[in-house]
Amino acid sequence: MRAEALKGHLDGLLLATLEDGPQHGYAVKEALRDATGGRLDLPTGTVYPALHRLERAGLIKGDWSVVGGRRRRTYELTEQGRRSLAGARDHWQEFAAVISAALGGGLWPATN
């Protein structure tokens, strides 16, 4: 999948990987790859800056730990992050339905 197709969706994808519990940065990258059957294998140069941005925004919380003699930053969702993930899912459902209707030739139901 082309990277430009992820624009506007990366935050939600990363938040979703943390929904089941804390993970260190590389594990977030691997969880996303595994969840998509390898179709989204993002470079660390994309994942880590996004994690830092999400942390600055208060959507995730990071803590340092030492595992096997190596320092790791472990991330977990905050309450604000959980709300943001719910909003991202709602937005994705609507977006996917609109695009599917357009590509499939159908019309999106009008709202009053």
Side-chain angles (χ1 to χ4, degrees):
M1 177 170 283
R2 295 187 316 229
E4 60 266 13
L6 295 178
K7 288 187 186 204
H9 304 290
L10 179 60
D11 290 1
L13 292 168
L14 295 176
L15 293 173
T17 64
L18 294 168
E19 186 172 30
D20 292 333
Q23 296 191 62
H24 61 85
Y26 191 77
V28 170
K29 173 190 172 338
E30 294 296 298
L32 185 56
R33 188 194 70 206
D34 293 347
T36 62
R39 291 181 297 262
L40 289 181
D41 190 9
L42 301 176
T44 56
T46 297
V47 173
Y48 284 104
L51 289 171
H52 296 160
R53 184 173 36 74
L54 291 170
E55 186 176 14
R56 283 191 309 273
L59 301 178
I60 62 176
K61 177 182 176 275
D63 289 308
W64 287 104
S65 62
V66 177
V67 178
R70 295 182 58 181
R71 283 185 64 187
R72 292 184 182 189
R73 188 122 176 112
T74 301
Y75 299 95
E76 64 182 304
L77 282 178
T78 63
E79 273 309 307
Q80 184 180 350
R82 289 187 188 286
R83 288 190 302 272
S84 181
L85 175 56
R89 284 187 169 133
D90 289 344
H91 178 264
W92 173 254
Q93 293 297 323
E94 182 178 348
F95 178 79
V98 169
I99 298 302
S100 293
L103 292 176
L107 296 176
W108 176 252
T111 57
N112 295 335

